[in-house]
Structure formats: structure tokens, C-alpha cells
Amino acid sequence: MASSKLPWLNPAIAVGGLSPLLLLAVQGAQGQLGANGIEFALNQTGLLALAVLVASLACTPLRLVTGWTWPARIRRTLGLLAFTYTAAHFLTYAVLDQGLDARAMAEDVFTRPFITVGFTALLLLVPLAVTSTNTWVRRLGFPAWQRLHRLAYVAAVLGVVHFVWRVKKDVTEPVLYGAVLALLFAVRVGEALRKRRALARERPA
Amino acid sequence: MRDKLPPEPPGSEVTPEKLYVRRREFLKNAGLFAGTAAVVGGGLYLLGMKRTRPMDGFVPDAGAVDQPVVPAQGLFSTDEPRTPYEDVTTYNNFYELGLDKNDPARRAHLLKTRPWTVVIDGEVHKPWTVDVDQLISAFPLEERVYRMRCVEAWSMVIPWLGLPLGKLLDRVQPTSFAKYVAFTTLEDPEQLPGQKSPVLDWPYVEGLRLDEARHPLTLLATGLYGKQLPAQNGAPLRLVVPWKYGFKGIKSIVRITLTREQPPTTWNLANKREYGFYANVNPAVDHPRWSQATERRIGEGSRRPTLPFNGYADAVAGLYSGMDLKRDF
């Protein structure tokens, strides 16, 4: 059946995923983001970066639990979308918030743990975005590529820490993302253990 | 026989079956594409909506003030452009009415600011329990145009109305034991639903040293922009100490108590490392998590340097001579 290819799926994720960013840019240009528009843009891009990154990490666990194959097809699109929001978040900080003041930004990155972890998460996502193509999967070989892309989990954990340290007092929302992340990780660990046991059973005594 | 059937269209005009099927396939895919894109986009949009939303065309209602006002001048005013009324009244930190910046404006109607009783007691010769309107009309109303610097590194310029706290203290006559002034916000989770969540210890409490409280800059605000104080800004009575971070400006005060000992203060209780008792604006002492060297003036694009004591150093630095402001932040 032709629909098994789901040709509409990835374009839909990309267009739908980018539309809040586009809306934010348009509203920002028109000065419609409220009293502190830059803070608003920072909060929005940061939150959506983390949300989409967590969604990309949910693909494999969702496939393992449900047996559906479509989540695996949108993983790359979600990953690149998460990188796009992360980059937008950083650019909002660097250009609009800090006015490209290199000294102030260096001080932030090196002396403020809250910024250090956020910046590290961005750096970790760069090689993942670069090696997201099929060519790179072949070039690295699938096992090595897979190992490299586990960095996405590290980036997401750093994203949650960045979020926790960002809020003044109420950590409910960042903790919620942390809990989802822990659940996804638990599914992956469970699957790895199940595989290992299955392998051990197959091995002759 | 009836009329002939119309001629069958020539084979060249018949859509090939393959294309006909593809067209249906295309329409189906287009529908699925649009639906999925809308769900993904809408979902992310709603996720973000939870956070601080700008409020479109929101006009908070505030009553007129029918008392003569002493205009602000000199130290009590500034040439800097005033932050628009809409921003001053929709971008607020008042956790009792919600954690997001515009929650307080949305929920302002929940707080009934009249009738309102204020208790002034403790180390005073003449304790006073007074209706807030009686309190306000007992003193000349003064305008003060002050910079306000939030600990979150944003700032505003606000034209307040109010009475100098020192004049109220003169009236209740502190005893010789009085060293500090403690303030308490109304505690009523029905009117201030944020108090139902344990994000801070309720009620909100704040404090000043007696000499700080008596400083002519220290104001009990009852209005802004020539009108009555909106609930989201701390009606009917809030503290304004322009050389300190905004969180010292306790809102919706019901009790003012003169004390011998330094009173507890809410943000200091919540996090001693990050929020001190003094909380003087100081670009040289960073918040442990962010820089205090610069600030964003609401309505301005780029950051501006933060001034020691928020630009009021000439008037207030003497209060702290001999103190290590890095330690007593």
C-alpha cells in the first residue's frame, strides 16, 4: 500500500514544527510579544527546543512499546527541529539579549553554571545535526553513528538542568520534562537488558 | 426508442486510471499533511502558551484619586522616560496572584482591596489600627517617579503616588527599642490563590532597618500614574524602596510591626544564598546564577549598565558606611 510510505508525514512535522517559530518571529518584528519581548522569545524558543528534543528521544521507546514503525521515520526531523529551536534560542540570547557583547557572553558561559550547561547542550547538538544525513550514517558505520547520537540524551539532561536553574522558584515544569526523560531512558534500559538476556539464553553453555 | 445517448468521450480524453487513482491518493495525503501539521504546530503553540503571554489590549481598571498631589521633584523624580502604564500593570511579580508575569493582571479582580484594615504595632508608643482610606487621607499624597530594578535584571520607571513611610512612623512614634520595621502581606488563599501552592512561605513578609524605613525615598505607594494602585501592583498599600531590588517592595500590606530584632524576609527564607536581607541594587554583586551588571529597561532593546543603589547612591550610600556590601548583600 502506498500509504505505508507516509510521504506527508515528515513535511507535516517540519511545517507544523516550524510554524510557532515563524509566528514568534513575525510577532516579535511587530513588537507584539509584551512588555519584555526578548525574555518572552527566550522562554518560548528554549521551552520548545527542550520539548521537541524530548519528543525526538521518545521515538524509539514509542516504537519499542507499541510496535509502530512511524515514530522511527520522524526521529531525524524532530532532532533537526530541536536543533533549530536550540539555535534560535542561542541566537536570541547572543544577538537580542546580549547585543553580541563577547565579553559578557564569555563571562556567562564560563562562570555561570546555568549558562554553561545550556551552551554545552547546544555544542553537543551540533555534531548530531551535522551527521544527521544518510551519507554520514554510512560514513561512520551504524554502530558508531548510534553511539554518537546517544549524546542527544546528554543534551536533553543538560537542557532540563538549564531549565531548573533558570526558574526563580517554581520547578514544576522543568521537573516534569526531567520525569518524562527518565521514563524514556528507563524504557531504553529495559530494552537493552531484555536483549542482553535473550542473547545470553541463545549462547551455548 | 428515446434520444440517443450522448457520444462516449474519445479515449484520448479519459483520465488514465493510474492518474485518477493518484489524484485521490494526492488529496488524501494533502489532507493528512495539513491535519498533522496543524496538530504539531498547534500542540507546540499551546505548550508555549502556558508561559508568559503578552496581553493584547488589556486595560486594567483603576479608580481616580481625589486628593491633592505634591508633584515629584529633585531626588524624587527623574527625566528618564516613564514605562508605559500598560507594561507597569501587566508585567508583574506577585506570586500570590500567579507565577507568570501577566497572571497578576488577569487575576487582579480576585483581590478585594476595600474595605482594608492596616495594623501598625510593635515597638511603638501609639499603635494604630486604621482603615486604609483613612490612613491615606491622613497624609499629603506625594508623587514619586522612581526607577525600579527587579532582581531578575529588568527595570522600569514608575510614577508612584503615596506617603513617605517616615511620616507614618513619626505618627506612631517608635520606642527607643525599635530597630527594624517588619511588613506582612494579606494572607487569604481565596483572594490570593497563589497562596494555595507552597512555592514560598506565606504570607509574604519583608523588613527594613529603621533608618532605611525613615529615609525620605522610602514610600508607601497607594497609586501610580495619578490613579489608584491596581491590585496587581500591590493595592491598596505597597512598599517602594527604589535603591533595593523589587522584591523588597512588599505588596498588599496588612501589618507594619516595629521590632527589636531583624525580621525574617520571604525570599531570604526561600534561598539565603541568592537573596539577602538588604538586597541593595549592586552591579558588583552578581546573583549566583546571573549577572547583575546590566539590566533591560522594559521597552528598550539593548541592556544598560546597572547603577550602584539603582542610581540613588548619593542619597543612601551613607546608610551603609562601614558595611561589607559583598557580605551583607
Side-chain angles (χ1 to χ4, degrees):
Chain A
M1 219 175 111
S3 66
S4 72
K5 282 196 301 225
L6 307 177
W8 48 272
L9 185 57
N10 276 303
I13 302 280
V15 168
L18 286 172
S19 54
L21 185 62
L22 196 70
L23 188 68
L24 194 66
V26 170
Q27 287 181 330
Q30 295 176 342
Q32 289 174 355
L33 296 181
N36 197 344
I38 296 173
E39 180 198 49
F40 181 75
L42 277 172
N43 286 345
Q44 286 291 87
T45 50
L47 180 85
L48 293 182
L50 182 61
V52 178
L53 184 59
V54 170
S56 75
L57 289 171
C59 291
T60 303
L62 191 63
R63 179 176 59 76
L64 291 173
V65 170
T66 62
W68 298 332
T69 55
W70 62 264
R73 293 164 186 269
I74 62 173
R75 194 172 57 170
R76 168 163 40 195
T77 308
L78 287 174
L80 286 170
L81 203 55
F83 178 70
T84 306
Y85 273 100
T86 309
H89 183 60
F90 174 74
L91 288 174
T92 308
Y93 160 79
V95 179
L96 299 179
D97 186 61
Q98 298 292 320
L100 291 175
D101 182 341
R103 207 187 54 83
M105 285 193 285
E107 197 188 307
D108 268 355
V109 168
F110 292 112
T111 68
R112 292 180 225 296
F114 140 64
I115 310 263
T116 311
V117 293
F119 190 70
T120 309
L122 168 73
L123 292 184
L124 290 181
L125 290 180
V126 171
L128 307 197
V130 169
T131 61
S132 63
T133 61
N134 291 339
T135 317
W136 268 103
V137 180
R138 273 196 302 276
R139 197 177 296 175
L140 292 173
F142 188 65
W145 183 90
Q146 217 178 11
R147 270 200 303 279
L148 175 67
H149 280 247
R150 283 187 192 136
L151 283 179
Y153 265 101
V154 181
V157 169
L158 292 177
V160 170
V161 173
H162 178 64
F163 196 1
V164 169
W165 282 347
R166 163 71 184 83
V167 298
K168 208 154 119 195
K169 196 67 180 59
D170 182 40
V171 294
T172 315
E173 209 177 355
V175 165
L176 207 66
Y177 282 94
V180 172
L181 206 57
L183 183 73
L184 297 176
F185 195 64
V187 173
R188 299 296 298 264
V189 170
E191 173 68 10
L193 290 177
R194 197 188 61 76
K195 260 189 186 155
R196 186 180 291 183
R197 271 203 304 274
L199 215 65
R201 267 200 302 277
E202 279 168 23
R203 205 176 298 150
Chain B
M1 259 198 117
R2 317 213 28 204
D3 291 340
K4 273 204 317 192
L5 285 168
E8 213 171 79
S12 61
E13 282 182 22
V14 175
T15 311
E17 192 190 347
K18 229 173 108 186
L19 272 183
Y20 177 73
V21 171
R22 251 185 19 210
R23 181 181 157 278
R24 294 176 75 175
E25 182 77 25
F26 175 79
L27 284 178
K28 196 181 96 186
N29 284 344
L32 286 167
F33 165 80
T36 308
V39 168
V40 171
L44 289 177
Y45 180 74
L46 288 176
L47 205 64
M49 280 274 276
K50 243 196 77 353
R51 303 203 62 76
T52 314
R53 284 301 301 158
M55 312 231 318
D56 292 330
F58 180 83
V59 183
D61 76 311
V65 168
D66 51 3
Q67 229 177 303
V69 172
V70 183
Q73 24 178 324
L75 173 65
F76 304 128
S77 190
T78 168
D79 302 336
E80 294 169 72
R82 298 162 188 209
T83 306
Y85 183 74
E86 198 192 325
D87 290 343
V88 174
T89 54
T90 60
Y91 190 79
N92 307 106
N93 276 325
F94 192 0
Y95 281 13
E96 289 88 333
L97 288 173
L99 299 177
D100 281 346
K101 290 289 189 290
N102 57 15
D103 284 346
R106 283 179 211 282
R107 298 195 184 138
H109 62 278
L110 296 175
L111 178 59
K112 301 283 169 265
T113 59
R114 298 291 189 287
W116 190 279
T117 306
V118 182
V119 177
I120 304 134
D121 62 359
E123 289 292 344
V124 292
H125 292 296
K126 294 184 172 174
W128 196 20
T129 297
V130 59
D131 174 74
V132 74
D133 286 322
Q134 204 188 324
L135 169 75
I136 293 169
S137 57
F139 300 91
L141 216 45
E142 299 186 24
E143 183 198 35
R144 302 290 178 91
V145 188
Y146 285 160
R147 290 176 287 277
M148 184 177 81
R149 170 62 156 82
C150 178
V151 76
E152 297 166 350
W154 52 266
S155 62
M156 295 183 175
V157 176
I158 305 174
W160 300 101
L161 293 179
L163 53 117
L165 178 58
K167 287 195 175 171
L168 175 62
L169 294 176
D170 287 344
R171 179 172 174 139
V172 296
Q173 297 177 13
T175 70
S176 57
F177 298 114
K179 294 285 178 288
Y180 293 90
V181 187
F183 305 85
T184 310
T185 294
L186 173 73
E187 184 170 25
D188 182 350
E190 292 312 310
Q191 296 189 57
L192 298 170
Q195 292 176 339
K196 290 176 186 167
S197 107
V199 61
L200 290 172
D201 280 339
W202 308 115
Y204 200 94
V205 288
E206 257 305 337
L208 295 172
R209 230 167 48 191
L210 187 56
D211 57 342
E212 297 176 320
R214 283 194 139 141
H215 193 280
L217 280 169
T218 305
L219 190 74
L220 279 176
T222 62
L224 56 82
Y225 267 101
K227 294 187 238 184
Q228 291 199 12
L229 199 61
Q232 63 269 35
N233 294 86
L237 198 66
R238 77 166 277 174
L239 183 65
V240 177
V241 195
W243 70 92
K244 292 175 180 285
Y245 291 119
F247 68 85
K248 293 296 284 184
I250 183 171
K251 299 183 173 82
S252 306
I253 298 168
V254 292
R255 185 174 215 110
I256 300 174
T257 306
L258 284 279
T259 64
R260 300 179 180 210
E261 308 291 331
Q262 180 177 305
T265 59
T266 293
W267 276 102
N268 181 247
L269 291 174
N271 194 331
K272 222 174 269 311
R273 238 180 94 244
E274 298 188 346
Y275 310 101
F277 173 80
Y278 288 97
N280 292 318
V281 174
N282 190 344
V285 176
D286 284 340
H287 187 282
R289 287 181 281 151
W290 57 80
S291 167
Q292 296 290 30
T294 61
E295 67 200 50
R296 169 162 305 105
R297 180 68 50 86
I298 296 301
E300 288 182 355
S302 50
R303 288 172 168 270
R304 50 162 70 212
T306 289
L307 303 174
F309 297 104
N310 202 22
Y312 300 97
D314 288 348
V316 302
L319 294 171
Y320 309 100
S321 55
M323 275 174 62
D324 178 359
L325 295 175
K326 283 197 157 55
R327 196 179 60 98
D328 291 318
F329 57 85

mmCIF file of all heavy atoms in Angstrom, chain A residues 68-99:
data_model
loop_
_atom_site.group_PDB
_atom_site.id
_atom_site.type_symbol
_atom_site.label_atom_id
_atom_site.label_comp_id
_atom_site.label_asym_id
_atom_site.label_seq_id
_atom_site.Cartn_x
_atom_site.Cartn_y
_atom_site.Cartn_z
ATOM 1 N N TRP A 68 4.785 0.257 16.555
ATOM 2 C CA TRP A 68 4.594 1.106 15.382
ATOM 3 C C TRP A 68 5.955 1.432 14.766
ATOM 4 O O TRP A 68 6.950 1.530 15.474
ATOM 5 C CB TRP A 68 3.919 2.429 15.774
ATOM 6 C CG TRP A 68 2.555 2.264 16.359
ATOM 7 C CD1 TRP A 68 1.674 1.253 16.122
ATOM 8 C CD2 TRP A 68 1.921 3.149 17.297
ATOM 9 N NE1 TRP A 68 0.523 1.446 16.842
ATOM 10 C CE2 TRP A 68 0.641 2.604 17.569
ATOM 11 C CE3 TRP A 68 2.290 4.347 17.909
ATOM 12 C CZ2 TRP A 68 -0.244 3.213 18.452
ATOM 13 C CZ3 TRP A 68 1.406 4.961 18.769
ATOM 14 C CH2 TRP A 68 0.145 4.396 19.041
ATOM 15 N N THR A 69 5.946 1.636 13.448
ATOM 16 C CA THR A 69 7.221 1.992 12.810
ATOM 17 C C THR A 69 7.319 3.486 12.488
ATOM 18 O O THR A 69 8.410 4.002 12.282
ATOM 19 C CB THR A 69 7.428 1.196 11.515
ATOM 20 O OG1 THR A 69 6.293 1.422 10.682
ATOM 21 C CG2 THR A 69 7.580 -0.280 11.809
ATOM 22 N N TRP A 70 6.143 4.158 12.422
ATOM 23 C CA TRP A 70 6.217 5.573 12.008
ATOM 24 C C TRP A 70 7.041 6.462 12.939
ATOM 25 O O TRP A 70 7.653 7.425 12.474
ATOM 26 C CB TRP A 70 4.819 6.168 11.767
ATOM 27 C CG TRP A 70 3.909 6.203 12.961
ATOM 28 C CD1 TRP A 70 2.967 5.293 13.297
ATOM 29 C CD2 TRP A 70 3.866 7.206 13.980
ATOM 30 N NE1 TRP A 70 2.340 5.641 14.459
ATOM 31 C CE2 TRP A 70 2.873 6.825 14.902
ATOM 32 C CE3 TRP A 70 4.574 8.397 14.205
ATOM 33 C CZ2 TRP A 70 2.581 7.580 16.044
ATOM 34 C CZ3 TRP A 70 4.273 9.146 15.351
ATOM 35 C CH2 TRP A 70 3.291 8.726 16.243
ATOM 36 N N PRO A 71 7.104 6.185 14.278
ATOM 37 C CA PRO A 71 7.913 7.099 15.093
ATOM 38 C C PRO A 71 9.371 7.145 14.645
ATOM 39 O O PRO A 71 10.003 8.199 14.673
ATOM 40 C CB PRO A 71 7.789 6.520 16.505
ATOM 41 C CG PRO A 71 6.517 5.758 16.499
ATOM 42 C CD PRO A 71 6.427 5.174 15.116
ATOM 43 N N ALA A 72 9.885 5.993 14.185
ATOM 44 C CA ALA A 72 11.285 5.975 13.758
ATOM 45 C C ALA A 72 11.508 6.857 12.535
ATOM 46 O O ALA A 72 12.590 7.413 12.348
ATOM 47 C CB ALA A 72 11.706 4.543 13.462
ATOM 48 N N ARG A 73 10.450 6.994 11.698
ATOM 49 C CA ARG A 73 10.588 7.800 10.483
ATOM 50 C C ARG A 73 10.700 9.288 10.766
ATOM 51 O O ARG A 73 11.201 10.041 9.938
ATOM 52 C CB ARG A 73 9.367 7.613 9.584
ATOM 53 C CG ARG A 73 9.225 6.251 9.008
ATOM 54 C CD ARG A 73 7.790 6.132 8.506
ATOM 55 N NE ARG A 73 7.534 4.782 8.049
ATOM 56 C CZ ARG A 73 7.720 4.406 6.809
ATOM 57 N NH1 ARG A 73 8.172 5.269 5.927
ATOM 58 N NH2 ARG A 73 7.476 3.163 6.463
ATOM 59 N N ILE A 74 10.154 9.756 11.897
ATOM 60 C CA ILE A 74 10.149 11.214 12.137
ATOM 61 C C ILE A 74 11.239 11.628 13.122
ATOM 62 O O ILE A 74 11.354 12.796 13.468
ATOM 63 C CB ILE A 74 8.771 11.699 12.668
ATOM 64 C CG1 ILE A 74 8.435 11.044 14.008
ATOM 65 C CG2 ILE A 74 7.685 11.411 11.649
ATOM 66 C CD1 ILE A 74 7.183 11.616 14.655
ATOM 67 N N ARG A 75 12.060 10.643 13.541
ATOM 68 C CA ARG A 75 13.067 10.960 14.544
ATOM 69 C C ARG A 75 14.051 12.023 14.062
ATOM 70 O O ARG A 75 14.351 12.972 14.782
ATOM 71 C CB ARG A 75 13.818 9.680 14.924
ATOM 72 C CG ARG A 75 14.629 9.799 16.169
ATOM 73 C CD ARG A 75 15.173 8.475 16.587
ATOM 74 N NE ARG A 75 15.978 7.871 15.517
ATOM 75 C CZ ARG A 75 16.733 6.801 15.679
ATOM 76 N NH1 ARG A 75 16.783 6.198 16.841
ATOM 77 N NH2 ARG A 75 17.436 6.317 14.679
ATOM 78 N N ARG A 76 14.534 11.845 12.817
ATOM 79 C CA ARG A 76 15.517 12.800 12.307
ATOM 80 C C ARG A 76 14.904 14.198 12.177
ATOM 81 O O ARG A 76 15.524 15.194 12.555
ATOM 82 C CB ARG A 76 16.048 12.332 10.953
ATOM 83 C CG ARG A 76 16.835 13.418 10.247
ATOM 84 C CD ARG A 76 17.698 12.921 9.134
ATOM 85 N NE ARG A 76 17.084 11.880 8.321
ATOM 86 C CZ ARG A 76 17.756 11.104 7.474
ATOM 87 N NH1 ARG A 76 19.046 11.241 7.350
ATOM 88 N NH2 ARG A 76 17.130 10.190 6.772
ATOM 89 N N THR A 77 13.686 14.259 11.655
ATOM 90 C CA THR A 77 13.038 15.566 11.506
ATOM 91 C C THR A 77 12.889 16.254 12.862
ATOM 92 O O THR A 77 13.179 17.445 13.001
ATOM 93 C CB THR A 77 11.647 15.400 10.855
ATOM 94 O OG1 THR A 77 11.813 14.638 9.663
ATOM 95 C CG2 THR A 77 11.037 16.742 10.525
ATOM 96 N N LEU A 78 12.463 15.475 13.864
ATOM 97 C CA LEU A 78 12.301 16.067 15.205
ATOM 98 C C LEU A 78 13.647 16.518 15.761
ATOM 99 O O LEU A 78 13.758 17.580 16.371
ATOM 100 C CB LEU A 78 11.646 15.056 16.152
ATOM 101 C CG LEU A 78 10.154 14.802 15.919
ATOM 102 C CD1 LEU A 78 9.655 13.676 16.830
ATOM 103 C CD2 LEU A 78 9.334 16.067 16.164
ATOM 104 N N GLY A 79 14.683 15.701 15.539
ATOM 105 C CA GLY A 79 16.016 16.058 16.026
ATOM 106 C C GLY A 79 16.498 17.359 15.405
ATOM 107 O O GLY A 79 17.014 18.249 16.100
ATOM 108 N N LEU A 80 16.316 17.479 14.104
ATOM 109 C CA LEU A 80 16.758 18.710 13.418
ATOM 110 C C LEU A 80 15.915 19.911 13.856
ATOM 111 O O LEU A 80 16.424 21.025 13.978
ATOM 112 C CB LEU A 80 16.678 18.530 11.903
ATOM 113 C CG LEU A 80 17.784 17.631 11.329
ATOM 114 C CD1 LEU A 80 17.505 17.305 9.870
ATOM 115 C CD2 LEU A 80 19.150 18.302 11.479
ATOM 116 N N LEU A 81 14.646 19.656 14.117
ATOM 117 C CA LEU A 81 13.761 20.709 14.612
ATOM 118 C C LEU A 81 14.234 21.190 15.997
ATOM 119 O O LEU A 81 14.277 22.389 16.278
ATOM 120 C CB LEU A 81 12.344 20.150 14.697
ATOM 121 C CG LEU A 81 11.161 21.101 14.666
ATOM 122 C CD1 LEU A 81 11.211 21.990 13.437
ATOM 123 C CD2 LEU A 81 9.869 20.295 14.676
ATOM 124 N N ALA A 82 14.599 20.221 16.844
ATOM 125 C CA ALA A 82 15.108 20.572 18.179
ATOM 126 C C ALA A 82 16.370 21.411 18.051
ATOM 127 O O ALA A 82 16.560 22.398 18.770
ATOM 128 C CB ALA A 82 15.395 19.307 18.992
ATOM 129 N N PHE A 83 17.229 21.038 17.107
ATOM 130 C CA PHE A 83 18.459 21.816 16.896
ATOM 131 C C PHE A 83 18.116 23.222 16.408
ATOM 132 O O PHE A 83 18.719 24.203 16.855
ATOM 133 C CB PHE A 83 19.381 21.116 15.894
ATOM 134 C CG PHE A 83 20.621 21.908 15.613
ATOM 135 C CD1 PHE A 83 21.605 22.040 16.586
ATOM 136 C CD2 PHE A 83 20.795 22.550 14.400
ATOM 137 C CE1 PHE A 83 22.745 22.789 16.357
ATOM 138 C CE2 PHE A 83 21.933 23.305 14.151
ATOM 139 C CZ PHE A 83 22.906 23.424 15.131
ATOM 140 N N THR A 84 17.124 23.318 15.519
ATOM 141 C CA THR A 84 16.715 24.633 15.004
ATOM 142 C C THR A 84 16.247 25.535 16.153
ATOM 143 O O THR A 84 16.639 26.705 16.249
ATOM 144 C CB THR A 84 15.576 24.469 13.980
ATOM 145 O OG1 THR A 84 16.001 23.547 12.977
ATOM 146 C CG2 THR A 84 15.222 25.797 13.347
ATOM 147 N N TYR A 85 15.419 24.991 17.037
ATOM 148 C CA TYR A 85 14.936 25.797 18.180
ATOM 149 C C TYR A 85 16.072 26.148 19.132
ATOM 150 O O TYR A 85 16.124 27.242 19.690
ATOM 151 C CB TYR A 85 13.806 25.063 18.920
ATOM 152 C CG TYR A 85 12.456 25.357 18.321
ATOM 153 C CD1 TYR A 85 11.848 24.449 17.457
ATOM 154 C CD2 TYR A 85 11.804 26.555 18.580
ATOM 155 C CE1 TYR A 85 10.616 24.731 16.876
ATOM 156 C CE2 TYR A 85 10.580 26.848 18.010
ATOM 157 C CZ TYR A 85 9.987 25.932 17.159
ATOM 158 O OH TYR A 85 8.779 26.222 16.586
ATOM 159 N N THR A 86 16.998 25.182 19.331
ATOM 160 C CA THR A 86 18.144 25.465 20.196
ATOM 161 C C THR A 86 18.982 26.594 19.617
ATOM 162 O O THR A 86 19.400 27.518 20.333
ATOM 163 C CB THR A 86 19.004 24.202 20.377
ATOM 164 O OG1 THR A 86 18.156 23.128 20.772
ATOM 165 C CG2 THR A 86 20.082 24.412 21.430
ATOM 166 N N ALA A 87 19.217 26.530 18.296
ATOM 167 C CA ALA A 87 19.997 27.587 17.638
ATOM 168 C C ALA A 87 19.263 28.919 17.721
ATOM 169 O O ALA A 87 19.869 29.964 17.996
ATOM 170 C CB ALA A 87 20.261 27.204 16.180
ATOM 171 N N ALA A 88 17.940 28.903 17.520
ATOM 172 C CA ALA A 88 17.153 30.142 17.613
ATOM 173 C C ALA A 88 17.233 30.721 19.028
ATOM 174 O O ALA A 88 17.340 31.930 19.224
ATOM 175 C CB ALA A 88 15.697 29.868 17.228
ATOM 176 N N HIS A 89 17.193 29.819 20.017
ATOM 177 C CA HIS A 89 17.293 30.215 21.430
ATOM 178 C C HIS A 89 18.639 30.900 21.680
ATOM 179 O O HIS A 89 18.704 31.979 22.267
ATOM 180 C CB HIS A 89 17.164 28.941 22.271
ATOM 181 C CG HIS A 89 17.166 29.139 23.748
ATOM 182 N ND1 HIS A 89 16.223 29.895 24.406
ATOM 183 C CD2 HIS A 89 17.995 28.648 24.709
ATOM 184 C CE1 HIS A 89 16.473 29.866 25.712
ATOM 185 N NE2 HIS A 89 17.542 29.128 25.929
ATOM 186 N N PHE A 90 19.716 30.267 21.184
ATOM 187 C CA PHE A 90 21.050 30.833 21.385
ATOM 188 C C PHE A 90 21.189 32.173 20.662
ATOM 189 O O PHE A 90 21.736 33.128 21.208
ATOM 190 C CB PHE A 90 22.132 29.853 20.906
ATOM 191 C CG PHE A 90 23.503 30.442 20.948
ATOM 192 C CD1 PHE A 90 24.143 30.624 22.177
ATOM 193 C CD2 PHE A 90 24.142 30.865 19.789
ATOM 194 C CE1 PHE A 90 25.406 31.199 22.235
ATOM 195 C CE2 PHE A 90 25.402 31.447 19.841
ATOM 196 C CZ PHE A 90 26.031 31.610 21.061
ATOM 197 N N LEU A 91 20.691 32.238 19.427
ATOM 198 C CA LEU A 91 20.810 33.488 18.665
ATOM 199 C C LEU A 91 20.013 34.606 19.325
ATOM 200 O O LEU A 91 20.444 35.763 19.341
ATOM 201 C CB LEU A 91 20.356 33.276 17.221
ATOM 202 C CG LEU A 91 21.321 32.441 16.366
ATOM 203 C CD1 LEU A 91 20.716 32.150 14.996
ATOM 204 C CD2 LEU A 91 22.665 33.159 16.215
ATOM 205 N N THR A 92 18.845 34.280 19.891
ATOM 206 C CA THR A 92 18.068 35.292 20.610
ATOM 207 C C THR A 92 18.881 35.830 21.779
ATOM 208 O O THR A 92 18.935 37.040 22.025
ATOM 209 C CB THR A 92 16.750 34.693 21.124
ATOM 210 O OG1 THR A 92 16.070 34.061 20.047
ATOM 211 C CG2 THR A 92 15.851 35.761 21.729
ATOM 212 N N TYR A 93 19.519 34.907 22.495
ATOM 213 C CA TYR A 93 20.369 35.301 23.628
ATOM 214 C C TYR A 93 21.537 36.157 23.160
ATOM 215 O O TYR A 93 21.775 37.245 23.676
ATOM 216 C CB TYR A 93 20.860 34.038 24.350
ATOM 217 C CG TYR A 93 22.087 34.241 25.205
ATOM 218 C CD1 TYR A 93 21.984 34.813 26.475
ATOM 219 C CD2 TYR A 93 23.346 33.868 24.747
ATOM 220 C CE1 TYR A 93 23.113 35.010 27.253
ATOM 221 C CE2 TYR A 93 24.472 34.061 25.520
ATOM 222 C CZ TYR A 93 24.362 34.638 26.767
ATOM 223 O OH TYR A 93 25.470 34.835 27.539
ATOM 224 N N ALA A 94 22.267 35.649 22.145
ATOM 225 C CA ALA A 94 23.513 36.304 21.734
ATOM 226 C C ALA A 94 23.248 37.652 21.068
ATOM 227 O O ALA A 94 23.905 38.648 21.399
ATOM 228 C CB ALA A 94 24.302 35.392 20.787
ATOM 229 N N VAL A 95 22.286 37.687 20.157
ATOM 230 C CA VAL A 95 22.083 38.900 19.362
ATOM 231 C C VAL A 95 21.154 39.880 20.081
ATOM 232 O O VAL A 95 21.507 41.041 20.298
ATOM 233 C CB VAL A 95 21.508 38.554 17.967
ATOM 234 C CG1 VAL A 95 21.290 39.821 17.162
ATOM 235 C CG2 VAL A 95 22.462 37.602 17.237
ATOM 236 N N LEU A 96 19.971 39.418 20.472
ATOM 237 C CA LEU A 96 18.986 40.353 21.020
ATOM 238 C C LEU A 96 19.223 40.654 22.497
ATOM 239 O O LEU A 96 19.145 41.795 22.932
ATOM 240 C CB LEU A 96 17.571 39.790 20.832
ATOM 241 C CG LEU A 96 17.159 39.555 19.375
ATOM 242 C CD1 LEU A 96 15.755 38.983 19.309
ATOM 243 C CD2 LEU A 96 17.225 40.870 18.598
ATOM 244 N N ASP A 97 19.523 39.613 23.288
ATOM 245 C CA ASP A 97 19.655 39.827 24.725
ATOM 246 C C ASP A 97 21.002 40.455 25.069
ATOM 247 O O ASP A 97 21.061 41.422 25.813
ATOM 248 C CB ASP A 97 19.483 38.499 25.468
ATOM 249 C CG ASP A 97 19.475 38.681 26.977
ATOM 250 O OD1 ASP A 97 18.586 39.379 27.467
ATOM 251 O OD2 ASP A 97 20.380 38.145 27.647
ATOM 252 N N GLN A 98 22.090 39.890 24.524
ATOM 253 C CA GLN A 98 23.413 40.362 24.897
ATOM 254 C C GLN A 98 23.987 41.371 23.901
ATOM 255 O O GLN A 98 25.075 41.906 24.135
ATOM 256 C CB GLN A 98 24.377 39.170 25.032
ATOM 257 C CG GLN A 98 23.966 38.180 26.117
ATOM 258 C CD GLN A 98 24.102 38.773 27.510
ATOM 259 O OE1 GLN A 98 25.063 39.482 27.804
ATOM 260 N NE2 GLN A 98 23.158 38.480 28.373
ATOM 261 N N GLY A 99 23.319 41.601 22.771
ATOM 262 C CA GLY A 99 23.827 42.532 21.777
ATOM 263 C C GLY A 99 25.218 42.159 21.292
ATOM 264 O O GLY A 99 26.038 43.030 21.005
#
